[in-house]
């Protein structure tokens, strides 16, 4: 009806992760307040993860900003930023 675009995501994997909260702050942009949060997820290396994916953790969505494979521990460290919707 209107000319807007909608992005949809589908489940790719469900896995356990070690979650570390790196930073967070409440910021104001114009008349709008938003939460900025950076979180690090550590998962096993056998998962295939890419930058176009979204991580869903405890009801919040995180955009992947960095993917760092660590061969010595056979893990992947993923850094993500909270998506404000």
């Amino acid at each position: 009806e209107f000319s807007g675009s909608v992005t949809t995501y589908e489940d790719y994997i469900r896995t356990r992760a070690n979650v570390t909260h790196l930073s967070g702050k409440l910021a104001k942009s114009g008349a709008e307040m938003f939460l900025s949060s950076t979180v690090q997820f550590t998962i096993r290396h056998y998962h295939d993860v890419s930058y176009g994916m979204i991580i869903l953790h405890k009801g919040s969505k995180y955009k992947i900003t960095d993917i760092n494979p660590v061969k010595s521990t056979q893990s992947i460290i993923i850094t993500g930023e909270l998506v404000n919707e």
Side-chain angles (χ1 to χ4, degrees), residues 13-69:
I13 58 170
R14 287 179 182 256
T15 189
R16 297 181 131 194
N18 183 29
V19 181
T20 305
H21 295 272
L22 300 178
S23 67
K25 64 180 177 179
L26 188 59
K28 185 176 181 181
S29 176
E32 191 173 344
M33 300 288 286
F34 66 95
L35 179 64
S36 171
S37 178
T38 304
V39 177
Q40 197 171 66
F41 302 91
T42 304
I43 63 171
R44 296 293 302 190
H45 194 276
Y46 52 77
H47 296 298
D48 188 23
V49 181
S50 66
Y51 286 96
M53 296 179 173
I54 295 289
I55 297 173
L56 182 62
H57 174 66
K58 292 189 177 182
S60 297
K61 293 180 183 177
Y62 294 88
K63 175 181 70 170
I64 297 175
T65 57
D66 186 49
I67 301 171
N68 183 18

Side-chain angles (χ1 to χ4, degrees), residues 69-83:
V70 181
K71 293 186 184 210
S72 62
T73 58
Q74 296 181 350
S75 62
I76 302 172
I77 299 174
I78 303 166
T79 305
E81 285 186 2
L82 182 65
V83 175

